[in-house]
Amino acid sequence: MLLATTVAGSVLFSSCIGSFNLTNKLLTWNKGIDSKFVNELVFIAFHIVPVYEIAVLADILVINSIEFWSGNNPVEMSTIQTIETENGVYLVETKADGYSIQKEGEAQTVEFVFDEVENSWSLELNGDSRKLLRYTENDEVVMYLPDGQKMTVEANPAGVLAFRQVADGYSYFAAR
C-alpha cells in the first residue's frame, strides 16, 4: 500500500507545470479554423463534449508527468510531412516556432522561424537570417523587401496582391 501511494504521489504530485502540448495542439488546431463563427462553434462543442477537459486532464495526469521524469514530451510539437512536387520531394518539419524544409537527397535546410516577441517571420539559410514580415496590431503586415525597404500592407487579399505586384520585380523571391 505504501509503495502504491508513493508511486501515485510521484506521478500525480511531481510539481511539474509541463508544456501541455496535447492541449496546445488542440487549441492551435481550433484557432486555425478560418471562420470565426465556426471557430466559436467548435470551441463551445468541445466544452460540451468535454474534449478540452479530457486533453487537460491527460496532460496533467500523464503526459506532463512523463515529460517531467524523462525530459521528453510524448506529444511533441514537431511533425514531418513529405511533399512531392514537380521539382522533387521535400521534407517539411513543423516545429513549435516554425518550419524546416529540406529537399530529399540534399543537405541544405531552409528554416522559417516565427519570433513571438516581435510577432515576425524570418528565413534562415546557411547561417544567414532575413526577416520576411512582421504583424502589426492594426491588422497590417510590414513586409521586408530584398533591398532592405519595408512595405506595409493590409492583412487581406488586396494587401497580398499589392505586395505580390511589388515583389514580382525582385528575382530574390522567385529564386530557389
Side-chain angles (χ1 to χ4, degrees):
M1 184 68 154
L2 180 61
L3 180 62
T5 304
T6 304
V7 170
S10 70
V11 171
L12 295 176
F13 306 111
S14 60
S15 181
C16 75
I17 298 294
S19 58
F20 286 83
N21 278 351
L22 179 63
T23 305
N24 288 328
K25 273 188 162 187
L26 186 60
L27 289 170
T28 300
W29 172 82
N30 190 9
K31 289 178 184 177
I33 297 173
D34 289 337
S35 169
K36 288 184 180 183
F37 179 73
V38 175
N39 178 278
E40 184 65 17
L41 288 177
V42 169
F43 181 75
I44 292 169
F46 278 13
H47 276 290
I48 292 171
V49 176
V51 174
Y52 286 125
E53 291 82 351
I54 291 170
V56 169
L57 189 63
D59 268 329
I60 291 171
L61 296 179
V62 179
I63 298 169
N64 287 345
S65 295
I66 292 171
E67 180 180 16
F68 177 78
W69 290 107
S70 72
N72 296 319
N73 191 305
V75 184
E76 289 295 325
M77 296 296 283
S78 176
T79 59
I80 298 177
Q81 293 183 343
T82 303
I83 299 175
E84 295 182 32
T85 70
E86 60 188 38
N87 297 324
V89 178
Y90 293 87
L91 302 174
V92 179
E93 181 179 5
T94 304
K95 298 181 174 184
D97 66 343
Y99 303 94
S100 176
I101 302 171
Q102 181 178 21
K103 187 172 184 179
E104 197 171 67
E106 293 185 7
Q108 187 177 34
T109 301
V110 176
E111 305 277 339
F112 290 97
V113 180
F114 182 71
D115 183 344
E116 286 188 48
V117 174
E118 290 188 19
N119 205 19
S120 66
W121 281 94
S122 298
L123 172 89
E124 294 180 3
L125 177 64
N126 298 329
D128 186 31
S129 180
R130 292 185 186 220
K131 193 175 288 188
L132 297 174
L133 62 94
R134 180 178 51 83
Y135 298 100
T136 65
E137 294 179 12
N138 53 354
D139 206 27
E140 292 181 332
V141 179
V142 176
M143 305 296 295
Y144 295 88
L145 299 168
D147 61 3
Q149 294 184 34
K150 299 177 188 176
M151 179 179 176
T152 302
V153 298
E154 292 182 26
N156 59 31
V160 172
L161 179 61
F163 178 72
R164 178 173 276 161
Q165 290 172 341
V166 171
D168 280 345
Y170 293 95
S171 61
Y172 168 79
F173 284 96
R176 178 171 172 235

